[in-house]
């Protein structure tokens, strides 16, 4: 039985980890692309050596050009610079914008029907830029931010409550940055909302650690940003798309009036399947949650207004 094809652009920390997870789970054959000569080929070969140990059916190939990526079902874009200590995701704007432009120009030609999932930061702006440059319908260009932020939120909730991680449903929406909006009212431990389990101070501390979860990793690593949880998060999105599951995952999608916002990509719960974004079910946010989402959107809109979005 032939597997779907997933291209991962960028064979660095996030890209290689994603390729390995997709392969280990047998979700698809993987093509790993990078501008660095030998890196995608070497990492792909190394992963293929693991096949007889892990018994996965997927193949992984590495390349510096897009010919063998043709007809990909999903393209995950991780190409770009990661943060260094003290940098915000916005500091990456110019360099990563140019990289995303060049990657999308290739993808548009070689895989015109694909679903594109951006991971490159600053995520919300890169997802919107990729959509504009691609000319694809908005349902086929999305970004990974909300799944990761929600996973971090869940980790800190587990840490504070002692609950099993599998008993926790946590949700973060908004920009994948300092203005992200964790939603304690919609985040539950065995079905009970966090806001009913912990004091307002305890919740505030968990929210703070969630917002700075990525920066905490950057500060420790000193030479790059997080990659295991980002790779796991984008792999979950790939699985939902390829499996056509309709799973509702916080995803960076184009808003067109939902939550009173439009003309930008932002993380909100979205149902994902074979066609990409299947629907954006609008959650019933209260006034404070909605105001926080709008404030987060305003920051993204400001950055978008400062860059050239032309194709
Ligand atoms: N095409 C393909 N690959 C590219 C290109 C390009 N035009 N430009 C750079 N790359 C590659 C680099 O050669 C490198 O191998 O992207 C890879 C990035 O890998 P890392 O430096 O290890 O960065 P990583 O930690 O994987 O983060 C990548 O994801 O989470 C975000 O903020 C993070 O924007 C960053 C991206």
């Amino acid at each position: 039985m032939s597997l779907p094809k997933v291209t991962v652009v960028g064979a660095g920390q996030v890209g290689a980890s994603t390729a390995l997870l997709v392969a280990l789970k047998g979700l698809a054959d993987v093509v790993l692309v990078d501008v660095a000569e030998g890196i995608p080929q070497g990492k792909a070969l190394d992963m293929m050596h693991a096949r007889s140990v892990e018994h996965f059916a997927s193949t992984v190939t590495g390349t510096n050009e897009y010919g063998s990526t043709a007809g990909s079902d999903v393209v995950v874009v991780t190409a770009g610079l990661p943060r260094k200590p003290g940098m915000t995701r916005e500091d990456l704007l110019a360099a990563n914008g140019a990289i995303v432009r060049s990657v999308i120009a290739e993808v548009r030609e070689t895989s015109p029907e694909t679903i594109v999932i951006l991971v490159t930061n600053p995520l919300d702006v890169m997802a919107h830029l990729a959509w504009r440059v691609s000319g694809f319908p908005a349902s086929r260009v999305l970004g990974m931010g909300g799944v990761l932020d929600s996973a971090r939120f869940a980790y800190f909730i587990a840490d504070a409550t002692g609950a099993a991680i599998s008993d926790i449903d946590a949700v973060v929406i908004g920009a994948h940055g300092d203005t992200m909006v964790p939603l304690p009212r919609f985040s539950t431990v065995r079905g009970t909302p966090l806001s009913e389990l912990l004091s307002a101070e305890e919740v505030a501390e968990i929210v703070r650690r969630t917002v700075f979860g990525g920066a905490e990793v950057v500060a420790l690593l000193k030479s790059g940003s997080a990659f295991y949880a980002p790779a796991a998060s984008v792999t979950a999105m790939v699985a939902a798309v390829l499996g056509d599951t309709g799973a509702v995952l916080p995803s960076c999608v184009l808003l067109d009036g939902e939550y009173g916002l439009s003309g930008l990509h932002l993380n909100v719960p979205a149902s994902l399947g074979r066609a990409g974004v299947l629907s954006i079910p609008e959650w019933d946010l209260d006034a404070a949650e909605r105001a926080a989402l709008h404030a987060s959107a305003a920051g993204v809109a400001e950055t978008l207004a400062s860059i050239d979005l032309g194709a």
Side-chain angles (χ1 to χ4, degrees):
M1 196 189 76
S2 80
L3 288 169
K5 188 195 280 191
V6 169
T7 288
V8 179
V9 186
Q13 301 278 49
V14 179
S17 303
T18 303
L20 183 61
L21 279 174
V22 170
L24 278 175
K25 289 170 180 278
L27 296 175
D29 290 325
V30 181
V31 183
L32 195 52
V33 188
D34 202 292
V35 287
E37 277 178 33
I39 298 295
Q41 293 87 346
K43 290 189 178 182
L45 185 59
D46 192 12
M47 289 181 212
M48 288 297 276
H49 292 166
R51 261 178 123 204
S52 85
V53 182
E54 289 290 345
H55 302 288
F56 53 82
S58 303
T59 59
V60 186
T61 50
T63 177
N64 301 117
E65 47 78 40
Y66 285 79
S68 54
T69 73
S72 292
D73 296 284
V74 178
V75 176
V76 175
V77 181
T78 76
L81 308 179
R83 281 195 287 172
K84 296 203 169 65
M87 286 175 87
T88 66
R89 293 180 180 93
E90 277 63 36
D91 290 336
L92 303 171
L93 191 60
N96 286 354
I99 290 171
V100 165
R101 269 180 181 283
S102 70
V103 168
I104 296 299
E106 299 277 4
V107 170
R108 191 176 54 197
E109 297 305 316
T110 43
S111 296
E113 302 301 325
T114 197
I115 311 292
V116 183
I117 308 180
L118 269 291
V119 180
T120 306
N121 277 311
L123 189 268
D124 311 274
V125 176
M126 291 301 122
H128 195 75
L129 175 67
W131 168 63
R132 289 285 293 261
V133 172
S134 70
F136 291 175
S139 54
R140 292 205 276 118
V141 186
L142 60 162
M144 188 292 294
V147 175
L148 172 59
D149 296 327
S150 301
R152 288 178 173 148
F153 194 26
Y155 169 75
F156 293 124
I157 293 170
D159 200 35
T161 60
I165 196 81
S166 54
D167 284 337
I168 296 170
D169 276 318
V171 189
V172 178
I173 60 173
H176 181 53
D178 296 351
T179 65
M180 72 178 70
V181 185
L183 294 177
R185 225 165 47 87
F186 291 89
S187 300
T188 60
V189 178
R190 286 184 291 275
T192 305
L194 190 59
S195 42
E196 291 176 23
L197 283 173
L198 298 174
S199 69
E201 293 72 33
E202 288 169 320
V203 171
E205 174 58 11
I206 293 174
V207 164
R208 192 195 63 76
R209 286 199 72 188
T210 301
V211 171
F212 295 106
E216 202 176 333
V217 175
V218 172
L220 288 165
L221 293 179
K222 296 186 181 69
S223 63
S225 52
F227 51 100
Y228 293 123
S233 302
V234 75
T235 301
M237 296 175 75
V238 169
V241 169
L242 293 179
D244 199 24
T245 66
V248 175
L249 300 175
S251 306
C252 187
V253 297
L254 181 74
L255 294 178
D256 185 23
E258 296 86 358
Y259 303 96
L261 296 165
S262 49
L264 78 169
H265 275 69
L266 208 59
N267 293 276
V268 294
S271 171
L272 305 186
R274 198 61 197 81
V277 181
L278 305 182
S279 64
I280 303 174
E282 207 167 325
W283 288 15
D284 190 15
L285 302 183
D286 66 21
E289 291 158 350
R290 197 177 167 92
L293 183 65
H294 277 245
S296 191
V300 174
E302 196 178 320
T303 311
L304 280 175
S306 75
I307 66 167
D308 173 18
L309 290 167

